[in-house]
Amino acid sequence: MTQNQIQHKIRDNWNKVLDSIFLIMRVYISVTVFAAFLLPSCVAGFTERRCAMHDPNEEEKEKALRVMELHKNDDETRTQKFTVPTYWHTINKGKDGKLLDATIAKSIDILNKAFTDFTFDVKDITTTDNGSYWGIKPGSSGERSMKNKLRQGGCDALNIYSTDLVSGLLGWATFPDWCAGSQKDDGVVILYSSVPGGTAAPYNLGDTLTHEVGHWLGLYHTFEGGCNGDGDQVDDTPAVKTSNSGCPKKIDSCPNDDGKDLVENFMDYTDDSCMDSFTKGQETRMTAFWKEYRSDGSPPPPNPPTPNPPTPNPPTTSKNPTQMMNVQITRLSSKLF
């Protein structure tokens, strides 16, 4: 083989190697792009909390203020809790999305510990394998079909739908005043992997559900309206300029408003591990909205009465004074006679 033939063969082999490399790169890029469209939650990861709640308009805000005015004199010293009939709907697609009963029980336990005035009582758990209810977004045909098929109870009933969501969303909910006009749409939708022990870190300790149920009971985000206006319409939550992420310390995004950002509040966008509380004002608001829009009109069951302490037995005396005097006279007489 001549030197020219050897060089020609080397070039051919090298070109084949380059072609193979370019083919592998094209396949990798295609698969990555395809997966990014199909599985945004998994590929993109969760760098921020994304709640797809409707942003209330001015008319809705005015209506909410009237509700608070109507209930401002309600008895805040009561100790009763409102019981919320709760229905959990697990949506899966084959093996994806299935949840253990223990995971659901833990989710409800987290809810009951977060809300002071409400007890969430699970009435039914359903499991549905349906790809049409998988990978949904607010207002989609999949969401409407899912709720029309599965929703149970009245406006007082919390229906929770656990499924896969698009665009990196973690969940959304309906406000209380929507229910009367569209009961079938009422409820809370969460990403299935946001439950305790799920894969949606750092939002996998169960507080996405807490956040969305807060909306379901009438709360706005703490950063609603930024530093201006009425904000979230709750007096004891300082104004917040924009949503917080992670778990920042000593943030005061609206310095002209009293108080630092409540980054630990369930209605901000911080990590699950950072969230731990509602304020008293938020609890009062949720109670007012429950009474106005979700209660069936029945008062909460009264606390059982405190049993009366047993009546003590009267002290016993061996003899009355007359008896004692007669005894003394008898003893004296015996000595004299």
Side-chain angles (χ1 to χ4, degrees):
M1 183 179 294
T2 65
Q3 185 175 359
N4 288 337
Q5 289 175 324
I6 293 173
Q7 291 176 346
H8 182 73
K9 189 170 184 177
I10 291 174
R11 281 196 299 270
D12 286 344
N13 290 337
W14 179 244
N15 287 334
K16 290 179 181 179
V17 171
L18 291 177
D19 288 341
S20 298
I21 292 173
F22 289 141
L23 177 62
I24 292 171
M25 291 177 64
R26 284 197 297 271
V27 170
Y28 175 78
I29 293 172
S30 298
V31 169
T32 302
V33 172
F34 179 72
F37 278 106
L38 286 184
L39 301 170
S41 298
C42 298
V43 176
F46 290 92
T47 57
E48 63 177 0
R49 183 180 296 277
R50 297 195 64 191
C51 165
M53 274 306 295
H54 160 79
D55 191 19
N57 57 39
E58 290 305 314
E59 181 180 352
E60 290 168 324
K61 290 178 181 179
E62 287 295 327
K63 186 178 178 181
L65 288 174
R66 288 194 295 270
V67 171
M68 294 306 299
E69 180 68 18
L70 180 65
H71 292 276
K72 68 179 181 180
N73 294 322
D74 288 358
D75 181 15
E76 297 181 12
T77 63
R78 60 176 175 73
T79 57
Q80 297 97 336
K81 282 194 172 188
F82 297 97
T83 299
V84 182
T86 303
Y87 301 86
W88 185 290
H89 308 289
T90 298
I91 310 301
N92 64 287
K93 185 178 181 182
K95 294 181 179 179
D96 295 331
K98 291 184 176 180
L99 299 178
L100 298 174
D101 287 348
T103 301
I104 296 173
K106 188 171 183 179
S107 298
I108 299 300
D109 183 57
I110 289 170
L111 274 187
N112 283 324
K113 289 178 179 177
F115 291 84
T116 301
D117 297 329
F118 298 91
T119 298
F120 299 91
D121 181 22
V122 176
K123 298 297 185 183
D124 192 18
I125 297 174
T126 69
T127 301
T128 305
D129 190 338
N130 190 329
S132 299
Y133 306 162
W134 187 261
I136 61 173
K137 61 182 179 180
S140 64
S141 59
E143 184 199 20
R144 290 192 298 270
S145 177
M146 174 184 71
K147 289 182 174 180
N148 283 331
K149 179 70 174 177
L150 299 177
R151 193 186 186 284
Q152 301 182 53
C155 289
D156 64 329
L158 172 61
N159 281 257
I160 302 166
Y161 304 88
S162 166
T163 185
D164 185 52
L165 312 179
V166 299
S167 304
L169 294 173
L170 288 172
W172 61 85
T174 53
F175 284 128
D177 55 313
W178 297 1
C179 184
S182 186
Q183 187 167 305
K184 276 294 185 180
D185 290 333
D186 187 67
V188 166
V189 181
I190 61 168
L191 179 68
Y192 74 96
S193 55
S194 69
V195 297
T199 58
Y203 312 112
N204 60 341
L205 300 180
D207 283 326
T208 289
L209 180 57
T210 306
H211 179 98
E212 301 303 341
V213 173
H215 287 312
W216 186 80
L217 287 169
L219 296 184
Y220 296 158
H221 291 128
T222 52
F223 49 87
E224 177 67 37
C227 298
N228 304 313
D230 294 321
D232 65 350
Q233 301 182 342
V234 178
D235 291 339
D236 60 358
T237 57
V240 179
K241 184 176 182 180
T242 187
S243 60
N244 289 292
S245 59
C247 195
K249 304 297 182 184
K250 298 181 180 180
I251 299 294
D252 189 0
S253 59
C254 296
N256 293 329
D257 191 82
D258 293 335
K260 294 181 173 59
D261 295 14
L262 298 181
V263 298
E264 299 87 1
N265 195 274
F266 288 120
M267 301 313 294
D268 202 342
Y269 269 14
T270 50
D271 295 351
D272 277 17
S273 59
C274 191
M275 294 179 164
D276 63 12
S277 58
F278 291 113
T279 67
K280 180 61 180 175
Q282 287 174 317
E283 292 169 353
T284 299
R285 181 181 175 94
M286 288 188 283
T287 298
F289 273 75
W290 171 267
K291 290 179 178 179
E292 185 69 16
Y293 296 114
R294 296 206 175 279
S295 173
D296 61 1
S298 301
N303 289 333
T306 304
N308 294 325
T311 303
N313 294 326
T316 58
T317 56
S318 56
K319 296 176 182 177
N320 59 40
T322 303
Q323 290 175 323
M324 294 179 64
M325 183 177 294
N326 290 336
V327 170
Q328 291 175 350
I329 293 174
T330 303
R331 288 178 179 173
L332 181 59
S333 299
S334 62
K335 290 182 179 179
L336 293 175
F337 300 103

